[in-house]
Amino acid sequence: MLRIDNISKSYSGFSALKDINIEIEEGSIFGLMGENGAGKTTLMKITSGLLMPDKGNIYFYDENIYANINSYQKNIGYMPDFFGVYDNIKVIEYMLFFAGIYGIYDKKADKRCIELLELFGMKDIMQEYVDTLSKGMKQKLCLLRSVIHSPKLLILDEPCSGMDTSSRIMVKQFLSELAMDGTSVIISSHIITDLSDLCTSIGVLDQNQMVINGSMDEIMKSINEKDPIYINICEEKQRAIKILKENRFVNSISIDDMLLMINFNGTKNDEADLLTSLIKSGVKIQSFDRKKGNLEKVFLHIKDNA
Amino acid sequence: MLRINSIFLKQMRLRSRSFKFVFGIMIYNLILLIISMFIFEMKFNININDNIDYAASQDIYNIMIVLETLMVLIMVPFFTAASIASEREKQTLDLILSTGINSYTIVLGKLLESLSLLILYVLSSLPVISIIFTIGGISILNIIQFIFEIIVSSIFIGSMGILSSCIFKKVISATICSYVTIVVVSIFTVGIVLITYMYIRFFGLNIQDLNLNWIAFVIMLNPVIDIIHAVSGDSFFIGSLNTQIINMIDSADIMKYWELISISMRIIISIIILCISAHLLSPVKNKDRLRRSRK
């Protein structure tokens, strides 16, 4: 659906992005991670057509977006990491203003705006002035504004910052439903748990380069496979150590009393074989566990490698 | 179906709610009323006699035109220079630009808003201007001509303000640039005429032998002189400038079609300036589109 092809951008000699390649499928949620200044917002702005890259192209359904940028932008929704507020505008007027820009008018616009506001429980405050809302409310309003025209691609820069837990859950659910309906989402966030619960694929930007990019399952698998396996045994510790040493997938063994920690680079099946051989040789095992990886680990892993 | 420009509609809604707007109209009309009553008193009531001096009503009308012209020169740059720069300051410009809306629509919406405000100011001042009708000497046609002239001039000056607003990120810088541009255009055009006049006198050239159409074009760009000339005619115009200079300008062939040429020229220049503004506003320029779409 969206293909970001070899994008580079620099600001007066400082490279903000270098050779970025991303592919986003229809109905997928792509999480963009990276520290401050890694280039997330620049990438978001380029993807939303607000910034011109120095090099590279973006293809939307195999069409170069720069051939007709306005038409591309009508198919996307963009929510920046800030909330621009107009003085003296009411919530419903704010929504109707953007509905008008997208060519939705009259009763159709009223219906769509109220329908969206109801989703986030904001119908009751639609006659309130936007500048009197809390930060979380403004964020939700901004999100609703960006989907008013039912875009095919949603670009969200830090959408959950400033939201309380219940709002965050509400937003995640909303985005999951959008993805299920076929809308693709690009989301950047500092809150890694937000991304891990939501994303189908992730990309990690580090020092203006994409250091990890792929499906969530693949990345998790690669990280998990590097995680140690913890074996808590009750009896026959020496026999267990001997079996582990003989196994070709075990790289190293650390021993802490009855807890054995091994670095294992085999597959799930190899893991199962190891467990079977330990049990068959009479080793009593209390637990055999490879700690599940998470996005935080991915992030830390990248930082360690850097 | 014809739709009202969303940007224009939103701006008008926001503007009409602000206290500054209502207060501005009130103060403006109050000043206009005080000055016109003062002139009225000076012209008619101090040396009261049996005769009605219709020329005096023309003078009052002329003074009011000057006041309204000053208003255009002061208020239009103020409104237009803030229009886009303030969206940038409030960080709302990116929201609008990301919607795929044509940058020409944004520029047009902003200009329309400023013009609407100005028209509202002018219309609100009609009761004050109508004081002239109590004496006679000024027709409704004069008033319509004046409103038309002021709209054309507002588009011309407003386009300069919009351009400043697109160039500068801060409202204050855009506003200063906008005023400076108008002052420079006003002084520069008069300056060229004066230099030409001095040149002709210094070398003892005969005005009749020279083709001075270009000097007429230059003076038509001057927003102050243009409104005053178009509306109040030569009597006031000549009174405000050196007669010989006026003769020099009037000797140009195109002066016969002053109104037509002046209006066309200002509208064409405004369109060019607005196109440049829209180009500057667009985050992805046409040349980039072409270059990249070929790849």
Side-chain angles (χ1 to χ4, degrees), chain B residues 169-231:
Chain B
K169 286 180 180 165
K170 297 272 174 199
V171 172
I172 186 79
S173 320
T175 310
I176 291 170
C177 171
S178 188
Y179 281 122
V180 167
T181 311
I182 287 150
V183 169
V184 166
V185 169
S186 303
I187 294 174
F188 186 69
T189 48
V190 172
I192 289 178
V193 174
L194 289 177
I195 290 167
T196 312
Y197 172 69
M198 284 190 285
Y199 178 85
I200 290 169
R201 287 210 47 181
F202 186 77
F203 289 102
L205 301 172
N206 187 357
I207 288 172
Q208 306 304 324
D209 300 336
L210 301 169
N211 182 358
L212 291 169
N213 279 339
W214 68 273
I215 206 91
F217 276 122
V218 169
I219 206 72
M220 278 176 198
L221 284 176
N222 190 306
V224 186
I225 291 178
D226 198 75
I227 296 179
I228 296 167
H229 177 271
V231 178

Side-chain angles (χ1 to χ4, degrees), chain A residues 45 50 52-54 56 64 66 69 73-74 80 82 84 86-88 93 100-102 105-106 145, chain B residues 3 6 10 13-14 17 87 90-92 94-100 102 283-284 288-289 292-293 295:
Chain A
K45 280 193 160 190
L50 288 172
M52 199 68 198
D54 299 334
N64 188 326
Y66 299 111
I69 190 82
Q73 284 179 318
K74 284 187 196 314
F82 52 82
Y86 292 110
D87 303 325
N88 295 330
E93 289 167 353
I101 286 186
Y102 286 117
Y105 301 101
D106 307 328
R145 179 215 33 94
Chain B
R3 296 280 178 188
S6 298
K10 184 261 299 173
R13 183 173 278 149
L14 298 189
R17 277 194 188 135
E87 293 268 4
K90 287 176 188 164
Q91 297 186 307
T92 47
D94 273 358
L95 300 184
I96 296 173
L97 287 173
S98 70
T99 60
N102 198 315
V284 178
D288 292 324
R289 288 183 199 187
R292 283 173 188 275
S293 56
K295 284 182 183 174

Side-chain angles (χ1 to χ4, degrees), chain B residues 273-290:
Chain B
I273 293 174
L274 291 174
C275 287
I276 295 170
S277 307
H279 173 77
L280 290 175
L281 193 61
S282 173
V284 178
K285 314 283 183 230
N286 285 339
K287 61 169 185 172
D288 292 324
R289 288 183 199 187
L290 285 171

